[in-house]
């Protein structure tokens, strides 16, 4: 496979004119050379936090607060999940995964409700699609054992010490929500030494220092936080201290579009477009333990190809900034996943 155009190469996403050459799913060369192509080639996205089971209830719960929407066990999403059949949930999740596939997301980190059966249902939904889910089971150790790790709801809901120990022994990922409503559950979450935290809307100076000292990555979901009314994460403060990735969170609240999440984050936070693109690609891959998110020799050939001559992108003076702040699904020519 050969793709020509402007390649956003390496960890700094340096725009170079040339081509990406891939064989057997691996990038074997990135050649800088004059080419006649307006395509823009970037790494495929990694969506670092999702709840795609909520695909059965898009835009449900308008006007409800966060606890009414998603708090276990009786938040609206959990009631709707219990009421839906397995077939309905699988079909709805499959449509969301297909949307991610069409818009260039190669992998997503899913906090999967429903125990072991929920893990199996998501695997069924992803069958024969090019997107690879990294599934973190919830609720039980058995769900973790059937999945790629454990996704904890938050230290305000339970202690999770047993689940953390079991996940560590299994050599799997452990992620936990923290600081979404307020700061009270951040220290208990950090005490568990998780592989990553999700949200961190309300960290105080002590928490930021602990994050920096421990180098625990953080996944931020600014669109979701705004919708639920909890505030917005201090993205710059977090990015100055640790690895930060982007997630789209509940499909009930937001589309799983990394284009929209990048644009929102870039216009909300005082961070560069390159840093935001890194949050949407390389950083999420690092958290998930994936060798992806960069266009370099030896990396997997997971690429997103945009039409740089679309009515939306034509004339852009800064390609990386345009990709982050204005590109969208209509600009996608191909997703090589």
């Amino acid at each position: 496979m050969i793709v020509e155009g402007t390649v956003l190469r390496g960890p700094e996403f340096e725009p170079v004119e040339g081509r990406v050459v891939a064989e057997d799913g691996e990038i074997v060369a990135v050649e800088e050379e004059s080419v006649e192509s307006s395509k823009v080639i970037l790494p495929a996205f990694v969506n670092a936090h999702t709840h795609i089971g909520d695909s059965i209830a898009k835009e449900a719960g308008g006007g409800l607060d966060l606890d009414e929407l998603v708090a276990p066990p009786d938040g609206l999403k959990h009631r709707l999940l219990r009421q839906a059949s397995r077939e309905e949930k699988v079909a709805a999740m499959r449509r969301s995964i297909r949307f991610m596939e069409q818009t260039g997301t190669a992998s997503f980190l899913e906090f999967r409700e429903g125990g072991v059966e929920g893990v199996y249902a998501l695997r069924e939904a992803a069958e024969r699609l090019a997107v690879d889910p990294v599934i973190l089971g919830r609720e039980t150790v058995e769900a973790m054992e059937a999945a790629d790790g454990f996704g904890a709801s938050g230290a305000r809901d339970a202690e999770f010490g047993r689940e953390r120990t079991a996940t560590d022994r299994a050599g799997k990922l452990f992620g936990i929500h923290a600081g979404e409503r307020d700061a009270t559950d951040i220290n208990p979450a950090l005490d568990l030494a998780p592989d990553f935290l999700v949200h961190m809307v309300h960290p105080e100076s002590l928490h930021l220092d602990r994050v920096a000292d421990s180098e625990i990555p953080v996944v931020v979901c600014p669109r979701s936080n705004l919708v639920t009314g909890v505030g917005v994460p201090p993205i710059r403060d977090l990015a100055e201290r640790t690895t930060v990735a982007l997630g789209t969170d509940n499909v009930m609240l937001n589309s799983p579009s990394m284009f929209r999440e990048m644009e929102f984050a870039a216009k909300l936070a005082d961070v560069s477009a390159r840093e935001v693109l890194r949050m949407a690609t390389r950083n999420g891959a690092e958290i998930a333990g994936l060798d992806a998110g960069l266009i370099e020799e030896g990396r997997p050939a997971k690429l997103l190809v945009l039409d740089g001559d679309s009515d939306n992108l034509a004339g852009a003076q800064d390609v990386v900034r345009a990709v982050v702040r204005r590109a969208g699904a209509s600009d996608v020519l191909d997703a090589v996943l």
Side-chain angles (χ1 to χ4, degrees), residues 3-7 16-19 33-41 305-309 333:
V3 187
E4 295 185 339
T6 298
V7 182
V16 297
E17 188 178 359
R19 61 179 62 88
E33 186 175 332
S34 179
V35 296
E36 294 184 3
S37 174
S38 60
K39 294 176 181 177
V40 178
I41 308 157
V305 184
L306 304 181
D307 181 3
D309 194 39
L333 291 175

Side-chain angles (χ1 to χ4, degrees), residues 231-286:
V232 292
I235 296 175
R236 180 178 179 179
D237 289 341
L238 292 166
E240 288 175 346
R241 291 165 172 83
T242 191
T243 299
V244 175
L246 285 178
T248 60
D249 205 11
N250 301 68
V251 178
M252 173 194 281
L253 307 174
N254 294 294
S255 71
S257 167
M258 294 301 284
F259 286 118
R260 290 190 175 188
E261 205 69 39
M262 284 197 305
E263 179 183 7
F264 190 78
K267 294 179 178 179
L268 173 74
D270 183 18
V271 293
S272 70
R274 278 178 169 77
E275 183 63 26
V276 173
L277 184 55
R278 193 173 295 115
M279 293 175 187
T281 54
R282 181 188 182 188
N283 289 359
E286 287 184 358

Side-chain angles (χ1 to χ4, degrees), residues 10 23 37 57 71 87 92 105 135 173 220 228-229 248 271 296 303 310 316:
E23 295 178 1
S37 174
E87 291 74 19
T105 293
I135 307 171
L173 281 173
V220 295
T228 57
T248 60
V271 293
E296 292 179 328
L303 309 171
S310 70

Side-chain angles (χ1 to χ4, degrees), residues 5-28:
T6 298
V7 182
L8 304 189
R9 182 178 66 184
E12 296 303 318
F13 307 105
E14 176 190 7
V16 297
E17 188 178 359
R19 61 179 62 88
V20 179
V21 182
E23 295 178 1
D24 299 323
E26 180 179 302
I27 298 172
V28 296

Side-chain angles (χ1 to χ4, degrees), residues 35-319:
V35 296
E36 294 184 3
S37 174
S38 60
K39 294 176 181 177
V40 178
I41 308 157
L42 60 143
F45 300 127
V46 176
N47 188 338
H49 185 61
T50 61
H51 294 272
I52 71 163
D54 301 10
S55 301
I56 61 167
K58 297 170 186 173
E59 303 309 319
L64 300 182
D65 65 24
L66 181 62
D67 285 333
E68 293 170 324
L69 282 168
V70 302
D74 294 320
L76 176 63
K77 68 168 276 182
H78 296 282
R79 299 199 307 272
L80 294 175
L81 285 168
R82 288 195 293 268
Q83 293 167 10
S85 70
R86 186 181 193 279
E87 291 74 19
E88 289 171 329
K89 286 182 279 194
V90 168
M93 288 192 292
R94 186 170 181 82
R95 298 192 75 151
S96 288
I97 298 170
R98 199 160 57 216
F99 174 81
M100 287 193 272
E101 181 180 61
Q102 294 164 356
T103 51
T105 293
S107 297
F108 62 99
L109 280 75
E110 165 73 4
F111 276 40
R112 182 82 285 271
E113 291 88 359
V116 173
E117 177 57 31
V119 174
Y120 292 157
L122 176 53
R123 288 199 176 129
E124 180 180 336
E127 285 178 356
R128 297 181 300 280
L129 295 177
V131 181
D132 295 324
V134 177
I135 307 171
L136 304 187
R138 301 184 70 182
E139 299 144 5
T140 66
V141 169
E142 290 75 20
M144 176 276 292
E145 292 171 341
D148 302 303
F150 190 87
S153 57
R156 68 173 62 239
D157 299 324
E159 293 185 357
F160 293 110
R162 174 174 174 267
E163 292 83 357
R164 179 66 184 105
T165 298
T167 306
D168 187 52
R169 286 175 177 167
K172 295 183 177 183
L173 281 173
F174 182 91
I176 186 168
H177 297 80
E180 186 174 9
R181 297 168 178 81
D182 54 45
T184 57
D185 62 351
I186 298 177
N187 276 331
L190 286 167
D191 289 343
L192 292 167
D195 293 300
F196 65 98
L197 302 166
V198 180
H199 292 306
M200 291 292 281
V201 178
H202 299 286
E204 298 170 357
S205 296
L206 169 64
H207 307 128
L208 293 171
D209 289 344
R210 288 193 67 186
V211 165
D213 291 343
S214 61
E215 299 181 340
I216 294 175
V218 174
V219 179
V220 295
C221 309
R223 285 190 303 153
S224 172
N225 299 149
L226 185 67
V227 170
T228 57
V230 298
V232 292
I235 296 175
R236 180 178 179 179
D237 289 341
L238 292 166
E240 288 175 346
R241 291 165 172 83
T242 191
T243 299
V244 175
L246 285 178
T248 60
D249 205 11
N250 301 68
V251 178
M252 173 194 281
L253 307 174
N254 294 294
S255 71
S257 167
M258 294 301 284
F259 286 118
R260 290 190 175 188
E261 205 69 39
M262 284 197 305
E263 179 183 7
F264 190 78
K267 294 179 178 179
L268 173 74
D270 183 18
V271 293
S272 70
R274 278 178 169 77
E275 183 63 26
V276 173
L277 184 55
R278 193 173 295 115
M279 293 175 187
T281 54
R282 181 188 182 188
N283 289 359
E286 287 184 358
I287 289 172
L290 303 172
D291 184 24
L294 289 176
I295 298 180
E296 292 179 328
E297 291 182 13
R299 298 276 184 173
K302 295 181 181 291
L303 309 171
L304 178 56
V305 184
L306 304 181
D307 181 3
D309 194 39
S310 70
D311 291 341
N312 183 37
L313 296 180
Q317 301 299 298
D318 184 324
V319 175

